[in-house]
Amino acid sequence: MSAESARKWLQYAEGDLKMATYAETIGDINNMRLHIQQCIEKSLKAVLIYENREVPHTHNLLEIYGAISSDWSVKDVPCDLKRISTWVIIGRYPVSYDEIPAEPDAKTSLAEARTILYAVKSEIKRRDSTH
């Protein structure tokens, strides 16, 4: 297990959560979406790193999520990972207006990102205390 590396990934995920929250306050929905996606991606990859598992080189949240063992509580967090996976592109590059989710959608996903991050942090802390 690589608990220290996983915690570093979670620190970066926390930074993305802070940036997404800040982007929300200034109305920058593109950067909000980008940092939501990145927070979730880094949180999920932290699980794989913690278990010394191979981390896929992808931004596809469904693929990363699928590699996580079923005994992790993050598997119980509801979130539309397929939709959010596209935000790494939408947040960085101009796309047609029809492809951009509405602001309330991003606000819901910000809460989901926060829940995923804290679920992973809590579970790693719990697992560390039992070893």
Side-chain angles (χ1 to χ4, degrees), residues 30 33 88-97 99-100:
N30 283 332
R33 284 192 300 264
V88 74
I89 302 301
I90 292 172
R92 290 176 148 168
Y93 305 104
V95 295
S96 75
Y97 184 78
E99 296 176 69
I100 300 174

Side-chain angles (χ1 to χ4, degrees), residues 31-45:
N31 275 304
M32 182 180 172
R33 284 192 300 264
L34 171 64
H35 288 288
I36 287 169
Q37 189 282 338
Q38 284 291 285
C39 174
I40 294 171
E41 180 180 331
K42 290 169 187 161
S43 297
L44 296 177
K45 285 181 175 181

Side-chain angles (χ1 to χ4, degrees), residues 56-106:
H57 295 284
T58 183
H59 296 296
N60 184 324
L61 299 177
L62 286 174
E63 183 179 335
I64 302 162
Y65 179 84
I68 295 173
S69 304
S70 61
D71 63 335
W72 280 80
S73 62
V74 72
K75 296 289 264 191
D76 298 326
V77 177
C79 187
D80 187 350
L81 298 176
K82 182 178 180 182
R83 176 180 46 81
I84 295 172
S85 287
T86 65
W87 291 1
V88 74
I89 302 301
I90 292 172
R92 290 176 148 168
Y93 305 104
V95 295
S96 75
Y97 184 78
D98 293 338
E99 296 176 69
I100 300 174
E103 183 176 341
D105 189 39

